[in-house]
Amino acid sequence: MIEYRQVEFLINPLKNRVWAVSMPDGELLTDLVSIKRARFCIESNEQYWLNPFGGAYHWTTKESEPYEEEFVRFKEEAQRYMCIFGLETAHLEHLDFSPLSGELIFDEEWLLERLGQGQRAEFKRFMLELWEYIKEE
């Protein structure tokens, strides 16, 4: 008997489109080919989604949290700028978002301790600017 694995196409409820493929192991694929193939599956009612990295999967759809796509993209972009503030990519764990309001949330205490008052304010201004650009896309 053949065992079929299943992936989920994550739908952005704000834009009504597939933005990621959630693999059985929890990995999110956000590359262009994966997304285009997922959209094709939905439009053509294809039974199997072909992973560009190998394998064929049954699929289903799932609505993601509002602003989840934007936050994933934000974190991908923010990695490039962390070094400006002497921070590492892992420090992005101190940022989150509100799916209700779409606001970026900062761990204020940690930022103040790590960056000090002046650099914390500059970091927040920069990240809020980036967040707005991502949401506009």
Side-chain angles (χ1 to χ4, degrees), residues 75-91:
K75 286 173 58 174
E76 290 170 355
E77 286 293 322
Q79 291 179 33
R80 295 183 172 98
Y81 304 108
M82 297 299 279
C83 63
I84 296 170
F85 301 96
L87 298 175
E88 299 174 15
T89 301
H91 294 135

Side-chain angles (χ1 to χ4, degrees), residues 85-103:
F85 301 96
L87 298 175
E88 299 174 15
T89 301
H91 294 135
L92 286 170
E93 72 181 3
H94 297 282
L95 293 136
D96 205 351
F97 74 102
S98 167
L100 299 175
S101 66
E103 292 179 82

Side-chain angles (χ1 to χ4, degrees), residues 54-86:
Y57 297 81
H58 282 283
W59 58 271
T60 186
T61 60
K62 176 184 175 188
E63 187 173 282
S64 64
E65 293 272 343
Y67 301 102
E68 184 178 357
E69 173 186 6
E70 291 80 359
F71 192 63
V72 168
R73 297 208 187 288
F74 167 81
K75 286 173 58 174
E76 290 170 355
E77 286 293 322
Q79 291 179 33
R80 295 183 172 98
Y81 304 108
M82 297 299 279
C83 63
I84 296 170
F85 301 96

